[in-house]
Amino acid sequence: MLSLAGVHAYYGDSHILHGVSLELAQGEVVCLLGRNGAGKTTTALTIMGYLAPRPGKVTFEGKDISGWAPHKVSRAGIGFVPQERGIFPSLTVKENLTTMARHGDKGRWTLDAVYQLFPRLQERERNLGFQLSGGEQQMLSIARALMLNPTLLLLDEPSEGLAPLIVREIMEVLRTLKREGLAVLLIEQNLRAALDLGDRHYVLSKGEVCFKGTSSDLEGNEQVLRDYLSV
Ligand SMILES: Nc1ncnc2c1ncn2[C@@H]1O[C@H](COP(=O)(O)OP(=O)(O)OP(=O)(O)O)[C@@H](O)[C@H]1O
Ligand SMILES: [Mg+2]
């Protein structure tokens, strides 16, 4: 359903991605791993249309979405949970959720449904974005992406900077979404979480894919674990 073919990306003159190719099928959870600065966020921004591939091609559900504007990419069905979470600090939890709604009450994800998934958000409904803890902000960011009723969820390091208990809670939610058949592209540095949840994995190094394989391929590849994931 998502495919990147020979994607290069630049910030100004800095050449960051050097021909990244990646495939994700319906219902799959695919992880994108790699050290700090490997190009994971740059890959996410290129999928979402914040950066244009040059050259290279991004295809989603049969459509060439290379160079589409971000709002158009999300409307096509990719829910994005950015690394910096991107919630509106001066809007309430409820407002953050309802401004993103798509399909009204007809889609799988309504306000009630996301509150059921994250009861904490309902308790905090009237709080402003900036009043939330880091974990609650991350939940809000995920819930907000779901309100678009996406067919693919793209998360950039959702466990970063969070306490282990909250990480477990968020991973449990992702497991629920996987069980429902939602496709997920998960950028992670938490290898344990990635191995638990992911069907397949890509490892990036210096803007290139240096490994791809299943969880057991990755667990068995000491060289990749040592050289590219500092395990
Ligand atoms: N706005 C920018 N302008 C110029 N260079 C940038 C910019 N953003 C990132 N870079 C560079 O691009 C490279 C890849 O960065 P990227 O953010 O994609 O890495 P990452 O794998 O997401 O790392 P992290 O795990 O720390 O989030 C790094 O060398 C980084 O310094
Ligand atoms: Mg990043």
Side-chain angles (χ1 to χ4, degrees):
M1 89 189 292
L2 176 75
S3 132
L4 273 68
V7 167
H8 291 250
Y10 292 76
Y11 294 107
D13 291 335
S14 335
H15 190 176
I16 306 294
L17 297 186
H18 300 267
V20 171
S21 295
L22 177 159
E23 300 281 337
L24 184 150
Q26 202 94 41
E28 241 190 339
V29 176
V30 170
C31 299
L32 187 58
L33 306 161
R35 292 177 193 264
N36 292 319
K40 304 181 297 298
T41 296
T42 306
T43 304
L45 296 179
T46 308
I47 294 170
M48 291 312 298
Y50 293 97
L51 291 171
R54 54 179 171 118
K57 192 167 161 183
V58 182
T59 312
F60 179 62
E61 290 183 330
K63 292 182 282 282
D64 181 354
I65 62 164
S66 326
W68 282 23
H71 71 273
K72 220 178 141 195
V73 174
S74 35
R75 247 187 276 133
I78 307 184
F80 184 37
V81 180
Q83 188 163 13
E84 68 286 358
R85 293 168 192 149
I87 60 167
F88 300 113
S90 56
L91 295 186
T92 65
V93 165
K94 190 175 175 182
E95 286 163 348
N96 264 282
L97 293 170
T98 50
T99 52
M100 287 302 272
R102 194 177 71 144
H103 296 335
D105 291 338
K106 286 193 285 291
R108 162 72 180 89
W109 295 106
T110 58
L111 194 60
D112 284 346
V114 296
Y115 281 160
Q116 214 168 357
L117 192 66
F118 294 111
R120 282 266 275 292
L121 293 182
Q122 183 158 28
E123 291 162 23
R124 304 285 254 142
E125 178 175 65
R126 281 179 233 273
N127 283 102
L128 299 176
F130 77 87
Q131 296 171 315
L132 304 179
S133 70
E136 289 164 345
Q137 286 185 19
Q138 190 60 264
M139 291 173 193
L140 180 56
S141 185
I142 297 171
R144 202 178 62 147
L146 289 174
M147 289 295 283
L148 276 161
N149 283 291
T151 47
L152 168 68
L153 193 60
L154 167 53
L155 304 110
D156 193 351
E157 300 203 38
S159 66
E160 191 183 23
L162 302 180
L165 204 67
I166 309 286
V167 172
R168 222 177 303 152
E169 216 175 307
I170 285 175
M171 289 303 154
E172 199 44 55
V173 163
L174 296 182
R175 204 160 293 130
T176 303
L177 298 174
K178 176 182 179 170
R179 236 180 278 125
E180 286 196 7
L182 185 65
V184 177
L185 180 56
L186 174 64
I187 295 175
E188 254 311 330
Q189 294 231 28
N190 181 334
L191 183 67
R192 195 68 262 163
L195 288 171
D196 282 351
L197 199 76
D199 298 308
R200 290 189 306 112
H201 308 271
Y202 289 82
V203 179
L204 277 185
S205 170
K206 299 187 176 131
E208 289 183 79
V209 174
C210 61
F211 168 91
K212 65 175 186 177
T214 62
S215 291
S216 54
D217 293 341
L218 180 55
E219 266 177 309
N221 196 323
E222 276 172 38
Q223 189 225 329
V224 169
L225 294 175
R226 189 183 58 234
D227 293 353
Y228 303 112
L229 300 169
S230 37
V231 177

